[in-house]
C-alpha cells in the first residue's frame, strides 16, 4: 500500500482488510509503548486510506469477519 502514494489506477483491489491483518498484529505486538502503538495505528490507517483513494473508477475491498476497524472510516 505504501508504494501507491502519488499514483492513480482505474481499479484498485485491497485484499485482507480483516482485523488480524489491519492493523498488523506483529507491528502492534512490537510496539514498545503507548506512543509507538498510536503511531502504528495511525500509519496503518493512513496506508489504507492512500491505497483506497488511488482508485479512479472502481474500488474493491476484501477480508474476513471481523473486518478491520479502519473500514469504519469509509462508512462516514
Amino acid at each position: 500500500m505504501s508504494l501507491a502514494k502519488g499514483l492513480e489506477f482505474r481499479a484498485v483491489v485491497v485484499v485482507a482488510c480483516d482485523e488480524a491483518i489491519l492493523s498488523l498484529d506483529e507491528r502492534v505486538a512490537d510496539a514498545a509503548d503507548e506512543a509507538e502503538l498510536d503511531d502504528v495505528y495511525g500509519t496503518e490507517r493512513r496506508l489504507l486510506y492512500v491505497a483506497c483513494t488511488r482508485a479512479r473508477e472502481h474500488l474493491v475491498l476484501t477480508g474476513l469477519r471481523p473486518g478491520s476497524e479502519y473500514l469504519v472510516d469509509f462508512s462516514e
Side-chain angles (χ1 to χ4, degrees):
M1 288 189 290
S2 60
L3 298 176
K5 189 173 184 178
L7 302 175
E8 271 192 351
F9 303 94
R10 185 169 163 234
V12 172
V13 178
V14 182
V15 298
C17 294
D18 47 279
E19 188 177 64
I21 304 297
L22 291 173
S23 2
L24 191 58
D25 288 343
E26 296 167 4
R27 290 194 64 207
V28 170
D30 289 343
D33 56 26
E34 192 69 30
E36 192 172 337
L37 186 60
D38 289 343
D39 185 50
V40 167
Y41 287 137
T43 299
E44 296 283 317
R45 178 173 262 119
R46 285 187 295 277
L47 284 173
L48 178 61
Y49 177 82
V50 166
C52 292
T53 57
R54 302 302 92 196
R56 288 191 315 250
E57 297 176 25
H58 305 284
L59 172 64
V60 176
L61 302 172
T62 68
L64 301 173
R65 291 183 190 259
S68 172
E69 65 185 78
Y70 304 149
L71 297 176
V72 173
D73 295 344
F74 297 100
S75 67
E76 298 173 352

